[in-house]
Amino acid sequence: MAWLNATPKPPPGSRRDDANRQAQRLSRIDQLKKDKAPIPMPPNPAPHITGWLIAMGIVQPTGMSIAALGWAEIAGWQQSMCIRLTPWEASLLRNLSSAYVAETRRAESELCSAPWQVAVTQREIDAEMARLELVLGGGDDDE
């Protein structure tokens, strides 16, 4: 989910970085929606665990950034929801939150691939080819 929600950026200091600062950037998921492409999702063998993580908020804000959920937030959620997590479930949720934070930072690179394997659809190929034609020119071979 972090990879999909990240907004890719060109490498710092590149020519595209300067031009890209002026353009409004979209997250990967928003770009897929705009291209009407299917949204790839990794397999989820424990949807109840990810449901709990989403209900907790996945991460916590820290001024100008995000951080993994702390034990106090997990304990507070348990108390509010009248759910008693086992120690391994609570530990797993904290680790998933930490992994989300790490992936969010890693996924800011436009060269970052999805942390799971997905098949590329023809619609995604067509959308990428259209973007390349905009950048490289229409492909007219009138010369």
Side-chain angles (χ1 to χ4, degrees):
M1 291 187 311
W3 182 82
L4 284 169
N5 288 310
T7 302
K9 300 173 189 158
S14 68
R15 284 188 233 160
R16 286 183 305 106
D17 182 36
D18 293 335
N20 195 36
R21 289 179 197 198
Q22 305 302 321
Q24 183 179 9
R25 298 180 300 233
L26 296 174
S27 67
R28 285 184 179 92
I29 197 165
D30 290 338
Q31 187 64 54
L32 287 167
K33 287 177 183 177
K34 181 180 174 189
D35 295 340
K36 295 180 174 51
I39 297 171
M41 291 298 289
N44 186 0
H48 67 289
I49 298 285
T50 52
W52 288 340
L53 182 64
I54 292 167
M56 287 180 197
I58 304 177
V59 295
Q60 59 185 0
T62 60
M64 294 181 65
S65 186
I66 58 172
L69 292 171
W71 293 114
E73 286 74 21
I74 295 170
W77 180 84
Q78 288 182 82
Q79 186 175 10
S80 297
M81 297 291 119
C82 298
I83 294 175
R84 185 74 191 132
L85 300 174
T86 64
W88 75 266
E89 289 170 329
S91 181
L92 176 61
L93 287 164
R94 186 150 185 342
N95 289 340
L96 287 171
S97 180
S98 294
Y100 187 95
V101 171
E103 182 63 20
T104 297
R105 293 184 180 127
R106 186 184 81 86
E108 286 182 345
S109 167
E110 68 181 358
L111 303 176
C112 177
S113 60
W116 64 90
Q117 295 294 322
V118 295
V120 178
T121 66
Q122 187 60 46
R123 182 170 288 211
E124 290 172 302
I125 292 170
D126 294 343
E128 191 61 29
M129 291 302 291
R131 279 195 286 274
L132 279 171
E133 286 179 16
L134 284 173
V135 171
L136 300 175
D140 294 328
D141 293 332
D142 292 342
E143 301 173 298

mmCIF file of all heavy atoms in Angstrom, residues 35 120-133:
data_model
loop_
_atom_site.group_PDB
_atom_site.id
_atom_site.type_symbol
_atom_site.label_atom_id
_atom_site.label_comp_id
_atom_site.label_asym_id
_atom_site.label_seq_id
_atom_site.Cartn_x
_atom_site.Cartn_y
_atom_site.Cartn_z
ATOM 1 N N ASP A 35 -5.206 6.748 -15.504
ATOM 2 C CA ASP A 35 -4.997 5.956 -16.718
ATOM 3 C C ASP A 35 -6.041 4.853 -16.879
ATOM 4 O O ASP A 35 -5.992 4.101 -17.844
ATOM 5 C CB ASP A 35 -3.603 5.319 -16.703
ATOM 6 C CG ASP A 35 -2.491 6.349 -16.755
ATOM 7 O OD1 ASP A 35 -2.754 7.496 -17.173
ATOM 8 O OD2 ASP A 35 -1.351 5.996 -16.365
ATOM 9 N N VAL A 120 2.238 -6.678 -16.137
ATOM 10 C CA VAL A 120 1.968 -5.391 -16.753
ATOM 11 C C VAL A 120 0.831 -5.576 -17.753
ATOM 12 O O VAL A 120 0.867 -6.483 -18.588
ATOM 13 C CB VAL A 120 3.227 -4.850 -17.461
ATOM 14 C CG1 VAL A 120 2.943 -3.528 -18.134
ATOM 15 C CG2 VAL A 120 4.365 -4.710 -16.469
ATOM 16 N N THR A 121 -0.172 -4.719 -17.651
ATOM 17 C CA THR A 121 -1.325 -4.826 -18.546
ATOM 18 C C THR A 121 -1.071 -4.026 -19.820
ATOM 19 O O THR A 121 -0.230 -3.114 -19.847
ATOM 20 C CB THR A 121 -2.602 -4.300 -17.875
ATOM 21 O OG1 THR A 121 -2.452 -2.888 -17.651
ATOM 22 C CG2 THR A 121 -2.865 -5.013 -16.549
ATOM 23 N N GLN A 122 -1.827 -4.338 -20.857
ATOM 24 C CA GLN A 122 -1.703 -3.615 -22.118
ATOM 25 C C GLN A 122 -2.083 -2.148 -21.916
ATOM 26 O O GLN A 122 -1.469 -1.260 -22.506
ATOM 27 C CB GLN A 122 -2.571 -4.246 -23.203
ATOM 28 C CG GLN A 122 -2.356 -3.634 -24.577
ATOM 29 C CD GLN A 122 -0.917 -3.777 -25.076
ATOM 30 O OE1 GLN A 122 -0.322 -4.841 -24.986
ATOM 31 N NE2 GLN A 122 -0.344 -2.689 -25.591
ATOM 32 N N ARG A 123 -3.051 -1.873 -21.071
ATOM 33 C CA ARG A 123 -3.465 -0.494 -20.807
ATOM 34 C C ARG A 123 -2.322 0.308 -20.184
ATOM 35 O O ARG A 123 -2.091 1.458 -20.539
ATOM 36 C CB ARG A 123 -4.685 -0.470 -19.897
ATOM 37 C CG ARG A 123 -5.173 0.949 -19.638
ATOM 38 C CD ARG A 123 -6.474 0.924 -18.950
ATOM 39 N NE ARG A 123 -7.445 0.482 -19.936
ATOM 40 C CZ ARG A 123 -8.697 0.847 -19.972
ATOM 41 N NH1 ARG A 123 -9.165 1.624 -19.058
ATOM 42 N NH2 ARG A 123 -9.512 0.432 -20.895
ATOM 43 N N GLU A 124 -1.575 -0.310 -19.255
ATOM 44 C CA GLU A 124 -0.426 0.362 -18.652
ATOM 45 C C GLU A 124 0.657 0.625 -19.697
ATOM 46 O O GLU A 124 1.276 1.692 -19.714
ATOM 47 C CB GLU A 124 0.148 -0.469 -17.503
ATOM 48 C CG GLU A 124 -0.745 -0.525 -16.289
ATOM 49 C CD GLU A 124 -0.240 -1.503 -15.255
ATOM 50 O OE1 GLU A 124 -0.094 -2.699 -15.581
ATOM 51 O OE2 GLU A 124 0.004 -1.058 -14.124
ATOM 52 N N ILE A 125 0.885 -0.341 -20.578
ATOM 53 C CA ILE A 125 1.877 -0.160 -21.647
ATOM 54 C C ILE A 125 1.457 0.989 -22.556
ATOM 55 O O ILE A 125 2.273 1.856 -22.897
ATOM 56 C CB ILE A 125 2.051 -1.470 -22.452
ATOM 57 C CG1 ILE A 125 2.708 -2.540 -21.577
ATOM 58 C CG2 ILE A 125 2.862 -1.227 -23.724
ATOM 59 C CD1 ILE A 125 2.703 -3.934 -22.182
ATOM 60 N N ASP A 126 0.185 1.022 -22.944
ATOM 61 C CA ASP A 126 -0.323 2.085 -23.815
ATOM 62 C C ASP A 126 -0.197 3.455 -23.150
ATOM 63 O O ASP A 126 0.205 4.435 -23.795
ATOM 64 C CB ASP A 126 -1.782 1.832 -24.194
ATOM 65 C CG ASP A 126 -1.956 0.583 -25.063
ATOM 66 O OD1 ASP A 126 -0.945 0.105 -25.635
ATOM 67 O OD2 ASP A 126 -3.097 0.088 -25.150
ATOM 68 N N ALA A 127 -0.524 3.536 -21.865
ATOM 69 C CA ALA A 127 -0.426 4.813 -21.147
ATOM 70 C C ALA A 127 1.028 5.278 -21.066
ATOM 71 O O ALA A 127 1.330 6.456 -21.260
ATOM 72 C CB ALA A 127 -1.022 4.685 -19.751
ATOM 73 N N GLU A 128 1.948 4.345 -20.814
ATOM 74 C CA GLU A 128 3.362 4.702 -20.728
ATOM 75 C C GLU A 128 3.898 5.113 -22.097
ATOM 76 O O GLU A 128 4.672 6.067 -22.210
ATOM 77 C CB GLU A 128 4.171 3.534 -20.161
ATOM 78 C CG GLU A 128 5.583 3.896 -19.795
ATOM 79 C CD GLU A 128 5.679 4.958 -18.721
ATOM 80 O OE1 GLU A 128 4.787 5.066 -17.864
ATOM 81 O OE2 GLU A 128 6.679 5.714 -18.749
ATOM 82 N N MET A 129 3.475 4.431 -23.150
ATOM 83 C CA MET A 129 3.901 4.795 -24.503
ATOM 84 C C MET A 129 3.395 6.190 -24.875
ATOM 85 O O MET A 129 4.113 6.977 -25.489
ATOM 86 C CB MET A 129 3.410 3.762 -25.524
ATOM 87 C CG MET A 129 4.096 2.411 -25.408
ATOM 88 S SD MET A 129 5.885 2.482 -25.599
ATOM 89 C CE MET A 129 6.023 2.879 -27.321
ATOM 90 N N ALA A 130 2.174 6.510 -24.478
ATOM 91 C CA ALA A 130 1.625 7.843 -24.750
ATOM 92 C C ALA A 130 2.438 8.911 -24.026
ATOM 93 O O ALA A 130 2.731 9.970 -24.596
ATOM 94 C CB ALA A 130 0.157 7.906 -24.320
ATOM 95 N N ARG A 131 2.835 8.624 -22.767
ATOM 96 C CA ARG A 131 3.671 9.596 -22.030
ATOM 97 C C ARG A 131 5.031 9.755 -22.697
ATOM 98 O O ARG A 131 5.566 10.858 -22.790
ATOM 99 C CB ARG A 131 3.830 9.158 -20.578
ATOM 100 C CG ARG A 131 2.649 9.513 -19.703
ATOM 101 C CD ARG A 131 2.985 9.410 -18.226
ATOM 102 N NE ARG A 131 3.080 8.044 -17.761
ATOM 103 C CZ ARG A 131 2.065 7.306 -17.348
ATOM 104 N NH1 ARG A 131 0.846 7.800 -17.349
ATOM 105 N NH2 ARG A 131 2.253 6.071 -16.927
ATOM 106 N N LEU A 132 5.612 8.643 -23.169
ATOM 107 C CA LEU A 132 6.904 8.719 -23.851
ATOM 108 C C LEU A 132 6.802 9.520 -25.137
ATOM 109 O O LEU A 132 7.696 10.317 -25.459
ATOM 110 C CB LEU A 132 7.425 7.310 -24.167
ATOM 111 C CG LEU A 132 8.104 6.586 -23.021
ATOM 112 C CD1 LEU A 132 8.372 5.137 -23.394
ATOM 113 C CD2 LEU A 132 9.391 7.276 -22.628
ATOM 114 N N GLU A 133 5.731 9.336 -25.885
ATOM 115 C CA GLU A 133 5.544 10.094 -27.130
ATOM 116 C C GLU A 133 5.426 11.590 -26.852
ATOM 117 O O GLU A 133 5.920 12.401 -27.618
ATOM 118 C CB GLU A 133 4.332 9.580 -27.890
ATOM 119 C CG GLU A 133 4.584 8.246 -28.550
ATOM 120 C CD GLU A 133 3.374 7.717 -29.301
ATOM 121 O OE1 GLU A 133 2.430 8.502 -29.569
ATOM 122 O OE2 GLU A 133 3.388 6.532 -29.637
#
